[in-house]
Amino acid sequence: MKQFFLTLTLTFTLIFTVTSSTFTHAEYSSHKKGYDYIVVGAGSAGSIVAAKLAKEGESVLLLEAGGDDSEPAIKDMKQYYNVAFNQFSYGFLNWHFVTEDQVFADGTGPVTFHLPQGKTLGGSHSINATAFVTGHRDDFNHIAREIGDQDWSWHRISKYIEQLKGTLKTITYAKEQLGAHSHIESAKKVLGFKYMKDCTLGQQNGICPTVWTGQEGEQGGIRSTSYDAFVRPLLSKNKVKLVSLTYHRVDKVNFDINNPSRAVGVSALNTRTNIQTDFTSNKGVIISAGAYQSPKILLLSGIGPRDELEALDIPVYNELKGVGKNLRDHYGVSTFWKHENLDVKAPFLFNQPSLNFFGPEKRKATTYQFEISGGYGSVVPLKATSVGEVRLASANPEDYPLIDPNVLSTQADLEMLVTGVKDYLLPFFGDLVQKNIYSPINISPLATEQEIVDFVRENTESKHHPVGTAKVGAYNDPFAVIDHNFVVIGTDNLHVVDASVFPLAPSGNINTPVMAIALLAADKILEKI
């Protein structure tokens, strides 16, 4: 009887997968061959690339390892902490990666870090804080100079960011709405940070309102992801050839036996039925599985450092030293404060004033990001020097990758965090304490330097901005994984498009830069530029 219902469900789903485009996605597909492109991962980047290719008439298969995004908590932006960190209630939305043991430069450790990554339609955009932070123009101009391609420069990227603003739903609270005049005054008085009404224009020097990808609802903020904005509207259009499949974990890329540099599809496991399927593509495969999973798929496909692959008896198709290397992230510490007499017209996300500081540089890409949301304040150094890696645990696709970010492995990174707390965050909150607006919960503005050092050691955390493990680079860069057209070096039509391609972490939250380069990648793949 159980087998009968499984067969009935499978048949019913197959019928509607191939005859109707009004369903948002499916779990099964009888169509295994003949897609123009296969996109791996329905997150911030993959959703955009798949949608843009489909809008241009290409047939596209979008594969997502997780399930659908119908869980109500995803849309409720006030539930951010729950969907990102509550493994008991919302573990099915999250990969819940954990680092290898980490030891800081001063010997602190071993410690491990929890690394949430979205496992659902929308990817990490379905579980993150939805901050719309663009990075600094120097982030992109530096890449453009290094690889000799001005398409990566801020001049072009800024146009893609404007396109995102026109497609995604975004909310910005001006200073009058924030009820945060005292915050702005203290930032200027104590830190010398001017007020900027918009930090999404490639300059990030001062204090500015937080921008989120969402919209106001009767009960609060409603999340808007790149899947919502780009993919979902296309799935109801009969002329668009886009199939979105959930619960399909891609285990490897398949190559032409007569031309090993040409990708011809992927091997994917339906984790609901335990059925392995080889889906084929005519024009190319785009991997958009994120900075932890994209290198894993490349390595399982035989692309990566020869010694690592041979040690696991994985045939080497393409020796690329940089796959899984150059793991970068932002690490910071958070402080908590009780607000006493704060006059607030509350934004929807935290019901308290929410701002970003970037500084202290006036013109160049900044050293710090300070996130202030009500009684929460964090210090995020943006120029960390610690570099880690992602490796395979085994040749079994079931096994999670080994993630070793080398957190605070340099003394400079440790000192940068201490300086950020001591010279910026505590003086800022100290001024608000003197105004009788806040009182500290976990660290005093009068803390000694040793107390601050101890606080940093005990409270350092990932800010969940991993990049770099399949970085773009010039042809003479021995650790480059993709070229300026997002093509994996040594292949003809295999691409990586996600956070892993950034050589360095952009200045701030990475979701918006990732979406912007996805728009660039789609144009490159379509040969529009």
Side-chain angles (χ1 to χ4, degrees), residues 481-507:
V481 176
I482 66 164
D483 67 14
H484 64 108
N485 290 320
F486 295 86
V487 179
V488 174
I489 294 169
T491 73
D492 297 332
N493 62 341
L494 176 61
H495 303 78
V496 177
V497 183
D498 57 29
S500 63
V501 308
F502 284 100
L504 300 171
S507 301

mmCIF file of all heavy atoms in Angstrom, residues 481-507:
data_model
loop_
_atom_site.group_PDB
_atom_site.id
_atom_site.type_symbol
_atom_site.label_atom_id
_atom_site.label_comp_id
_atom_site.label_asym_id
_atom_site.label_seq_id
_atom_site.Cartn_x
_atom_site.Cartn_y
_atom_site.Cartn_z
ATOM 1 N N VAL A 481 40.271 29.860 -10.080
ATOM 2 C CA VAL A 481 39.399 28.734 -10.429
ATOM 3 C C VAL A 481 38.525 29.076 -11.626
ATOM 4 O O VAL A 481 38.271 28.233 -12.476
ATOM 5 C CB VAL A 481 38.528 28.318 -9.227
ATOM 6 C CG1 VAL A 481 37.540 27.213 -9.610
ATOM 7 C CG2 VAL A 481 39.414 27.858 -8.076
ATOM 8 N N ILE A 482 38.065 30.333 -11.698
ATOM 9 C CA ILE A 482 37.287 30.748 -12.863
ATOM 10 C C ILE A 482 37.979 31.915 -13.550
ATOM 11 O O ILE A 482 38.776 32.641 -12.934
ATOM 12 C CB ILE A 482 35.839 31.159 -12.503
ATOM 13 C CG1 ILE A 482 35.817 32.422 -11.630
ATOM 14 C CG2 ILE A 482 35.099 30.013 -11.843
ATOM 15 C CD1 ILE A 482 34.470 33.094 -11.542
ATOM 16 N N ASP A 483 37.671 32.098 -14.837
ATOM 17 C CA ASP A 483 38.187 33.256 -15.555
ATOM 18 C C ASP A 483 37.185 34.402 -15.474
ATOM 19 O O ASP A 483 36.163 34.296 -14.789
ATOM 20 C CB ASP A 483 38.536 32.901 -16.995
ATOM 21 C CG ASP A 483 37.316 32.560 -17.853
ATOM 22 O OD1 ASP A 483 36.160 32.846 -17.439
ATOM 23 O OD2 ASP A 483 37.493 31.994 -18.949
ATOM 24 N N HIS A 484 37.463 35.484 -16.146
ATOM 25 C CA HIS A 484 36.623 36.683 -16.030
ATOM 26 C C HIS A 484 35.227 36.479 -16.588
ATOM 27 O O HIS A 484 34.312 37.249 -16.303
ATOM 28 C CB HIS A 484 37.302 37.861 -16.737
ATOM 29 C CG HIS A 484 37.454 37.666 -18.216
ATOM 30 N ND1 HIS A 484 36.704 38.361 -19.131
ATOM 31 C CD2 HIS A 484 38.261 36.833 -18.935
ATOM 32 C CE1 HIS A 484 37.051 37.979 -20.362
ATOM 33 N NE2 HIS A 484 38.001 37.056 -20.258
ATOM 34 N N ASN A 485 35.003 35.402 -17.347
ATOM 35 C CA ASN A 485 33.678 35.082 -17.878
ATOM 36 C C ASN A 485 32.953 34.035 -17.039
ATOM 37 O O ASN A 485 31.953 33.471 -17.491
ATOM 38 C CB ASN A 485 33.793 34.597 -19.320
ATOM 39 C CG ASN A 485 34.177 35.713 -20.269
ATOM 40 O OD1 ASN A 485 33.698 36.839 -20.140
ATOM 41 N ND2 ASN A 485 35.053 35.409 -21.219
ATOM 42 N N PHE A 486 33.462 33.757 -15.850
ATOM 43 C CA PHE A 486 32.871 32.810 -14.906
ATOM 44 C C PHE A 486 33.021 31.357 -15.372
ATOM 45 O O PHE A 486 32.343 30.473 -14.853
ATOM 46 C CB PHE A 486 31.387 33.112 -14.651
ATOM 47 C CG PHE A 486 31.133 34.423 -13.968
ATOM 48 C CD1 PHE A 486 31.013 35.586 -14.701
ATOM 49 C CD2 PHE A 486 31.006 34.496 -12.586
ATOM 50 C CE1 PHE A 486 30.782 36.803 -14.083
ATOM 51 C CE2 PHE A 486 30.766 35.702 -11.949
ATOM 52 C CZ PHE A 486 30.663 36.870 -12.693
ATOM 53 N N VAL A 487 33.901 31.095 -16.334
ATOM 54 C CA VAL A 487 34.143 29.740 -16.818
ATOM 55 C C VAL A 487 35.243 29.093 -15.982
ATOM 56 O O VAL A 487 36.295 29.706 -15.752
ATOM 57 C CB VAL A 487 34.559 29.748 -18.305
ATOM 58 C CG1 VAL A 487 34.841 28.326 -18.791
ATOM 59 C CG2 VAL A 487 33.479 30.403 -19.160
ATOM 60 N N VAL A 488 34.990 27.877 -15.505
ATOM 61 C CA VAL A 488 36.020 27.149 -14.761
ATOM 62 C C VAL A 488 37.202 26.911 -15.698
ATOM 63 O O VAL A 488 37.055 26.391 -16.808
ATOM 64 C CB VAL A 488 35.470 25.815 -14.233
ATOM 65 C CG1 VAL A 488 36.592 24.998 -13.582
ATOM 66 C CG2 VAL A 488 34.352 26.058 -13.224
ATOM 67 N N ILE A 489 38.370 27.341 -15.240
ATOM 68 C CA ILE A 489 39.577 27.262 -16.065
ATOM 69 C C ILE A 489 39.854 25.804 -16.454
ATOM 70 O O ILE A 489 39.780 24.900 -15.623
ATOM 71 C CB ILE A 489 40.775 27.871 -15.309
ATOM 72 C CG1 ILE A 489 40.539 29.375 -15.108
ATOM 73 C CG2 ILE A 489 42.080 27.623 -16.049
ATOM 74 C CD1 ILE A 489 41.508 30.035 -14.164
ATOM 75 N N GLY A 490 40.139 25.594 -17.732
ATOM 76 C CA GLY A 490 40.383 24.249 -18.231
ATOM 77 C C GLY A 490 39.141 23.547 -18.731
ATOM 78 O O GLY A 490 39.206 22.398 -19.178
ATOM 79 N N THR A 491 37.981 24.220 -18.656
ATOM 80 C CA THR A 491 36.738 23.653 -19.196
ATOM 81 C C THR A 491 36.178 24.601 -20.247
ATOM 82 O O THR A 491 36.607 25.753 -20.362
ATOM 83 C CB THR A 491 35.680 23.436 -18.100
ATOM 84 O OG1 THR A 491 35.143 24.696 -17.681
ATOM 85 C CG2 THR A 491 36.267 22.708 -16.905
ATOM 86 N N ASP A 492 35.203 24.102 -20.994
ATOM 87 C CA ASP A 492 34.592 24.906 -22.050
ATOM 88 C C ASP A 492 33.302 25.590 -21.613
ATOM 89 O O ASP A 492 33.014 26.711 -22.029
ATOM 90 C CB ASP A 492 34.280 24.023 -23.273
ATOM 91 C CG ASP A 492 35.529 23.433 -23.899
ATOM 92 O OD1 ASP A 492 36.599 24.067 -23.780
ATOM 93 O OD2 ASP A 492 35.436 22.346 -24.486
ATOM 94 N N ASN A 493 32.508 24.908 -20.784
ATOM 95 C CA ASN A 493 31.157 25.399 -20.531
ATOM 96 C C ASN A 493 30.680 25.133 -19.109
ATOM 97 O O ASN A 493 29.478 25.059 -18.864
ATOM 98 C CB ASN A 493 30.180 24.772 -21.525
ATOM 99 C CG ASN A 493 30.106 23.260 -21.386
ATOM 100 O OD1 ASN A 493 30.999 22.632 -20.810
ATOM 101 N ND2 ASN A 493 29.047 22.664 -21.909
ATOM 102 N N LEU A 494 31.614 24.972 -18.195
ATOM 103 C CA LEU A 494 31.274 24.822 -16.782
ATOM 104 C C LEU A 494 31.544 26.141 -16.087
ATOM 105 O O LEU A 494 32.641 26.695 -16.203
ATOM 106 C CB LEU A 494 32.104 23.697 -16.150
ATOM 107 C CG LEU A 494 31.929 23.476 -14.638
ATOM 108 C CD1 LEU A 494 30.495 23.103 -14.306
ATOM 109 C CD2 LEU A 494 32.901 22.413 -14.148
ATOM 110 N N HIS A 495 30.548 26.651 -15.359
ATOM 111 C CA HIS A 495 30.656 27.950 -14.706
ATOM 112 C C HIS A 495 30.444 27.810 -13.198
ATOM 113 O O HIS A 495 29.746 26.899 -12.738
ATOM 114 C CB HIS A 495 29.586 28.911 -15.239
ATOM 115 C CG HIS A 495 29.614 29.116 -16.723
ATOM 116 N ND1 HIS A 495 29.091 28.198 -17.613
ATOM 117 C CD2 HIS A 495 30.101 30.135 -17.475
ATOM 118 C CE1 HIS A 495 29.242 28.644 -18.847
ATOM 119 N NE2 HIS A 495 29.866 29.804 -18.801
ATOM 120 N N VAL A 496 31.024 28.729 -12.451
ATOM 121 C CA VAL A 496 30.687 28.910 -11.041
ATOM 122 C C VAL A 496 30.233 30.345 -10.872
ATOM 123 O O VAL A 496 30.913 31.278 -11.306
ATOM 124 C CB VAL A 496 31.886 28.629 -10.107
ATOM 125 C CG1 VAL A 496 31.492 28.911 -8.655
ATOM 126 C CG2 VAL A 496 32.359 27.193 -10.257
ATOM 127 N N VAL A 497 29.058 30.500 -10.268
ATOM 128 C CA VAL A 497 28.495 31.847 -10.054
ATOM 129 C C VAL A 497 27.890 31.894 -8.664
ATOM 130 O O VAL A 497 26.761 31.454 -8.435
ATOM 131 C CB VAL A 497 27.416 32.184 -11.106
ATOM 132 C CG1 VAL A 497 26.917 33.615 -10.892
ATOM 133 C CG2 VAL A 497 27.931 31.998 -12.520
ATOM 134 N N ASP A 498 28.627 32.389 -7.713
ATOM 135 C CA ASP A 498 28.131 32.590 -6.346
ATOM 136 C C ASP A 498 29.218 33.285 -5.543
ATOM 137 O O ASP A 498 30.199 33.784 -6.110
ATOM 138 C CB ASP A 498 27.698 31.267 -5.693
ATOM 139 C CG ASP A 498 28.794 30.211 -5.648
ATOM 140 O OD1 ASP A 498 29.985 30.594 -5.594
ATOM 141 O OD2 ASP A 498 28.477 29.006 -5.675
ATOM 142 N N ALA A 499 29.088 33.313 -4.228
ATOM 143 C CA ALA A 499 30.038 34.037 -3.379
ATOM 144 C C ALA A 499 31.447 33.482 -3.468
ATOM 145 O O ALA A 499 32.417 34.194 -3.172
ATOM 146 C CB ALA A 499 29.562 34.005 -1.923
ATOM 147 N N SER A 500 31.590 32.239 -3.878
ATOM 148 C CA SER A 500 32.914 31.626 -3.901
ATOM 149 C C SER A 500 33.848 32.269 -4.909
ATOM 150 O O SER A 500 35.057 32.083 -4.836
ATOM 151 C CB SER A 500 32.802 30.119 -4.163
ATOM 152 O OG SER A 500 32.250 29.862 -5.426
ATOM 153 N N VAL A 501 33.330 33.049 -5.855
ATOM 154 C CA VAL A 501 34.201 33.624 -6.893
ATOM 155 C C VAL A 501 34.909 34.893 -6.431
ATOM 156 O O VAL A 501 35.868 35.335 -7.080
ATOM 157 C CB VAL A 501 33.418 33.916 -8.190
ATOM 158 C CG1 VAL A 501 32.653 32.682 -8.632
ATOM 159 C CG2 VAL A 501 32.484 35.107 -8.053
ATOM 160 N N PHE A 502 34.489 35.514 -5.325
ATOM 161 C CA PHE A 502 35.147 36.740 -4.862
ATOM 162 C C PHE A 502 36.516 36.406 -4.268
ATOM 163 O O PHE A 502 36.610 35.585 -3.358
ATOM 164 C CB PHE A 502 34.310 37.441 -3.794
ATOM 165 C CG PHE A 502 33.122 38.177 -4.330
ATOM 166 C CD1 PHE A 502 31.857 37.621 -4.273
ATOM 167 C CD2 PHE A 502 33.261 39.433 -4.894
ATOM 168 C CE1 PHE A 502 30.753 38.295 -4.768
ATOM 169 C CE2 PHE A 502 32.169 40.123 -5.394
ATOM 170 C CZ PHE A 502 30.910 39.547 -5.342
ATOM 171 N N PRO A 503 37.584 37.050 -4.734
ATOM 172 C CA PRO A 503 38.909 36.782 -4.155
ATOM 173 C C PRO A 503 39.012 37.235 -2.699
ATOM 174 O O PRO A 503 39.700 36.608 -1.898
ATOM 175 C CB PRO A 503 39.855 37.611 -5.043
ATOM 176 C CG PRO A 503 39.082 37.907 -6.279
ATOM 177 C CD PRO A 503 37.651 37.977 -5.870
ATOM 178 N N LEU A 504 38.344 38.331 -2.377
ATOM 179 C CA LEU A 504 38.296 38.867 -1.015
ATOM 180 C C LEU A 504 36.843 39.133 -0.664
ATOM 181 O O LEU A 504 36.008 39.381 -1.553
ATOM 182 C CB LEU A 504 39.095 40.174 -0.916
ATOM 183 C CG LEU A 504 40.582 40.113 -1.250
ATOM 184 C CD1 LEU A 504 41.164 41.525 -1.316
ATOM 185 C CD2 LEU A 504 41.341 39.276 -0.225
ATOM 186 N N ALA A 505 36.530 39.132 0.620
ATOM 187 C CA ALA A 505 35.166 39.422 1.033
ATOM 188 C C ALA A 505 34.848 40.890 0.759
ATOM 189 O O ALA A 505 35.625 41.769 1.120
ATOM 190 C CB ALA A 505 34.984 39.115 2.519
ATOM 191 N N PRO A 506 33.723 41.185 0.109
ATOM 192 C CA PRO A 506 33.316 42.580 -0.078
ATOM 193 C C PRO A 506 33.122 43.290 1.255
ATOM 194 O O PRO A 506 33.037 42.655 2.309
ATOM 195 C CB PRO A 506 31.992 42.460 -0.840
ATOM 196 C CG PRO A 506 32.029 41.109 -1.478
ATOM 197 C CD PRO A 506 32.795 40.242 -0.518
ATOM 198 N N SER A 507 33.029 44.601 1.204
ATOM 199 C CA SER A 507 32.954 45.420 2.422
ATOM 200 C C SER A 507 31.537 45.436 2.974
ATOM 201 O O SER A 507 30.762 46.358 2.720
ATOM 202 C CB SER A 507 33.428 46.842 2.123
ATOM 203 O OG SER A 507 34.751 46.833 1.651
#
